Amino acid sequence: MKVSIMRPIFRPEDVPDPSFVLYPYHIFHLKLFYKRLGKSDRVLDYFAYVDLYRLGAERGDGFIDLYEWDVEERSIMEPLVDYEEARMKAFESAITWGNSRIVSWWLPRIEIVREARAYKVFWLYERDREKLLMDSLDGKEFSLDAVTGKGGRKCKGAWCR
C-alpha cells in the first residue's frame, strides 16, 4: 500500500537493509487569526505534529518533507486516535501557543491550510546480537528489549505506555 512518510534523516550505519516500522502522525499547517482591540489584527502560522498513537502534539517549524513509499501493511502501526481527536489536539496546541504571543479578548479563528497523514520511520536492526530501534528523524537508538519491556529490563523512554 502507498503511504506518506516523513523524510528520514538518519539511517543505521553498517546495516545493509534494515527493516522498519511506520509510526502514525497527522500534520497540520494552521493559520490563527486574532482580533485585537485598538490594534491591527494578527495572523500566525502554526505547524502541529499530532501523535496518533499517544495523542500528543508537537509544534514544528514548517511542514516536513513527505515522500510516498509503497509498503506492506504489516509494517504500519495502526493509529489509536481518530481524525477529529487529532484536529482538536492540533487546535488546542495552536491556541495555547498563540495566546502566549498575542493579547486578545477573543479566541482566534483557525483555518487549516494543509494537512496530511504521515508516518515516522523507525528502523529495526541488529548489532552485536542486540536488537535495536532508531528514530529516523533524530538518530537516537533504543534497545528493542528496553522499549518493549522484555529481557528483564524496566521499560524506559517514549515507547513505554
Side-chain angles (χ1 to χ4, degrees):
M1 83 188 278
K2 290 194 182 292
V3 296
S4 292
I5 60 114
M6 297 179 200
R7 181 181 60 86
I9 298 168
F10 295 93
R11 184 183 172 105
E13 296 176 12
D14 304 328
V15 179
D17 195 23
S19 59
F20 57 86
V21 65
L22 300 179
Y23 190 93
Y25 279 86
H26 203 95
I27 305 168
F28 294 90
H29 173 192
L30 306 174
K31 279 208 181 289
L32 287 76
F33 298 88
Y34 280 93
K35 289 177 25 174
R36 301 188 310 165
L37 275 177
K39 292 187 175 189
S40 61
D41 294 350
R42 291 283 308 269
V43 179
L44 301 175
D45 284 292
Y46 186 82
F47 300 92
Y49 292 80
V50 180
D51 182 324
L52 297 181
Y53 199 75
R54 296 178 305 159
L55 190 57
E58 281 184 61
R59 184 179 70 81
D61 294 331
F63 207 94
I64 195 166
D65 292 336
L66 300 178
Y67 292 99
E68 198 168 85
W69 276 11
D70 195 9
V71 300
E72 292 182 30
E73 197 169 336
R74 66 184 176 93
S75 64
I76 300 172
M77 289 178 65
E78 283 298 314
L80 300 178
V81 175
D82 68 22
Y83 173 78
E84 198 55 37
E85 289 175 300
R87 188 178 71 80
M88 292 308 296
K89 189 64 165 180
F91 280 28
E92 175 188 306
S93 176
I95 290 168
T96 299
W97 176 82
N99 286 351
S100 72
R101 282 151 181 71
I102 304 291
V103 176
S104 175
W105 285 97
W106 301 275
L107 285 175
R109 179 175 60 84
I110 301 175
E111 177 183 301
I112 298 174
V113 176
R114 182 179 173 196
E115 62 181 304
R117 164 78 61 87
Y119 295 87
K120 181 193 250 190
V121 177
F122 282 90
W123 301 108
L124 297 166
Y125 55 100
E126 196 170 309
R127 182 180 295 135
D128 299 328
R129 293 198 284 159
E130 181 180 18
K131 292 181 181 173
L132 299 169
L133 183 71
M134 177 187 276
D135 184 320
S136 68
L137 296 183
D138 67 13
K140 291 182 182 168
E141 283 186 338
F142 306 91
S143 165
L144 193 57
D145 286 342
V147 170
T148 60
K150 294 181 180 177
R153 296 185 211 162
K154 194 171 183 181
C155 186
K156 293 181 184 176
W159 288 86
C160 301
R161 292 182 8 143

